[in-house]
Amino acid sequence: AGLYDQGALYGTLMKNQMADVFSNSFLLELCNDTCVDKTGIDYVKISNNRNKEFCIYTTISDGYACVTKQPLYQEGKAHLEKMTCAKEFHPMLRLIESDYKEECLQMPFVKGKTMRKYLEELAANNETDEIWRFLGLFREGFYSDLPLKNEPSMEFTKIFGDLTCNQELHWVSGVEVDLIADNIFLTEDKWTYIDNEWTFDFEIPAEYVLWRTLSQLCDSSLLGNIITPESIDEFINISENTASVFVAW
């Protein structure tokens, strides 16, 4: 007894930015083609390692055409309803359209090139300057017209804790915190982002959102030598202290 502490292990994986590639359990469902045809479900993800108000399950069905999100508990209804109230916050990004009814959030399954894939193709062609030019435009879409300040609200500290950085940053409200490049797709004339679960109506540092987006690209075999922790800190202009606070958040 006491040899395995799941909470401590998960904390270590998060600290090393590896939590998204590990799972403590798997469900393998085997059936014949007839069974698949009857259910129409192509993929299921259950997110239950959260507080009850955030526990949901996601299904992709109809030949990878429709995405559905539903609460695991009654406490999670408000979480899904809030996703329909999110507003677009970046000139380069378009929020995927969704429809909420009967405690169910539905949206189309988006196909296309992800932002990660786009950047990896540039890296494969040795177009490093174009990578940073593109990311510069992405950064300015966040920073534009935002004043620098260091005034976290009570709502912010309630979610992210009392630890604060000693640097003024660009604070913005209504931004999606989990804006990972794998959830951003090139569609027509804009990039479409999906899965806007973690959009808050209080102000959050834009640098923190950018830091999260770029940090998740460091594990790419093509981008890892270009987008490094050091280059990220310099690119978004944050101090070593601020970077350590971002890790803690």
Side-chain angles (χ1 to χ4, degrees):
L3 295 178
Y4 174 65
D5 186 333
Q6 179 172 311
L9 174 61
Y10 193 67
T12 300
L13 294 175
M14 291 181 64
K15 183 177 180 180
N16 289 277
Q17 302 176 23
M18 299 175 65
D20 60 333
V21 295
F22 281 84
S23 176
N24 65 354
S25 60
F26 297 88
L27 171 64
L28 181 62
E29 182 178 333
L30 301 178
C31 62
N32 57 32
D33 291 341
T34 303
C35 175
V36 174
D37 290 340
K38 285 183 178 180
T39 64
I41 297 176
D42 304 298
Y43 171 88
V44 178
K45 179 181 179 181
I46 302 174
S47 302
N48 63 348
N49 57 337
R50 312 167 173 179
N51 293 335
K52 277 191 172 183
E53 61 265 34
F54 301 121
C55 288
I56 65 172
Y57 69 94
T58 303
T59 61
I60 302 176
S61 58
D62 301 333
Y64 284 89
C66 179
V67 179
T68 302
K69 294 179 179 289
Q70 294 177 264
L72 282 174
Y73 309 100
Q74 286 298 307
E75 292 91 334
K77 291 169 56 179
H79 182 55
L80 289 182
E81 290 174 357
K82 188 177 180 180
M83 291 177 63
T84 65
C85 301
K87 300 290 192 292
E88 295 180 0
F89 56 85
H90 193 290
M92 290 175 61
L93 300 177
R94 174 191 292 115
L95 174 61
I96 190 171
E97 295 183 1
S98 60
D99 182 34
Y100 182 81
K101 57 183 178 182
E102 299 180 355
E103 301 181 10
C104 177
L105 184 69
Q106 289 189 328
M107 62 196 73
F109 181 81
V110 179
K111 298 179 182 179
K113 183 181 298 183
T114 65
M115 185 177 288
R116 175 190 284 266
K117 182 65 176 178
Y118 173 74
L119 294 171
E120 287 180 338
E121 288 180 354
L122 291 177
N125 292 325
N126 296 315
E127 297 184 65
T128 303
D129 290 343
E130 180 59 22
I131 290 174
W132 290 112
R133 187 197 71 81
F134 174 82
L135 292 177
L137 294 174
F138 193 62
R139 175 189 59 194
E140 293 310 309
F142 280 105
Y143 291 2
S144 180
D145 299 325
L146 289 177
L148 287 167
K149 59 181 181 178
N150 189 10
E151 301 172 2
S153 65
M154 292 179 60
E155 292 84 357
F156 179 87
T157 55
K158 181 180 179 180
I159 298 294
F160 292 92
D162 296 324
L163 184 63
T164 59
C165 50
N166 54 16
Q167 178 181 352
E168 290 190 328
L169 302 170
H170 299 84
W171 291 72
V172 57
S173 63
V175 66
E176 168 61 30
V177 174
D178 198 26
L179 196 66
I180 63 174
D182 289 313
N183 284 348
I184 306 175
F185 294 82
L186 183 57
T187 55
E188 299 176 356
D189 60 331
K190 274 194 175 185
W191 294 87
T192 297
Y193 71 97
I194 63 173
D195 206 10
N196 61 312
E197 273 197 67
W198 306 110
T199 301
F200 298 99
D201 54 10
F202 54 80
E203 290 188 334
I204 292 173
E207 287 86 349
Y208 177 57
V209 180
L210 271 172
W211 176 84
R212 285 177 54 88
T213 300
L214 297 177
S215 294
Q216 292 167 5
L217 295 173
C218 292
D219 64 353
S220 167
S221 59
L222 292 170
L223 295 168
N225 292 327
I226 300 172
I227 303 176
T228 63
E230 295 76 18
S231 66
I232 292 172
D233 294 352
E234 180 180 357
F235 178 70
I236 61 179
N237 192 27
I238 60 171
S239 65
E240 184 177 341
N241 168 264
T242 298
S244 66
V245 172
F246 284 1
V247 172
W249 287 349

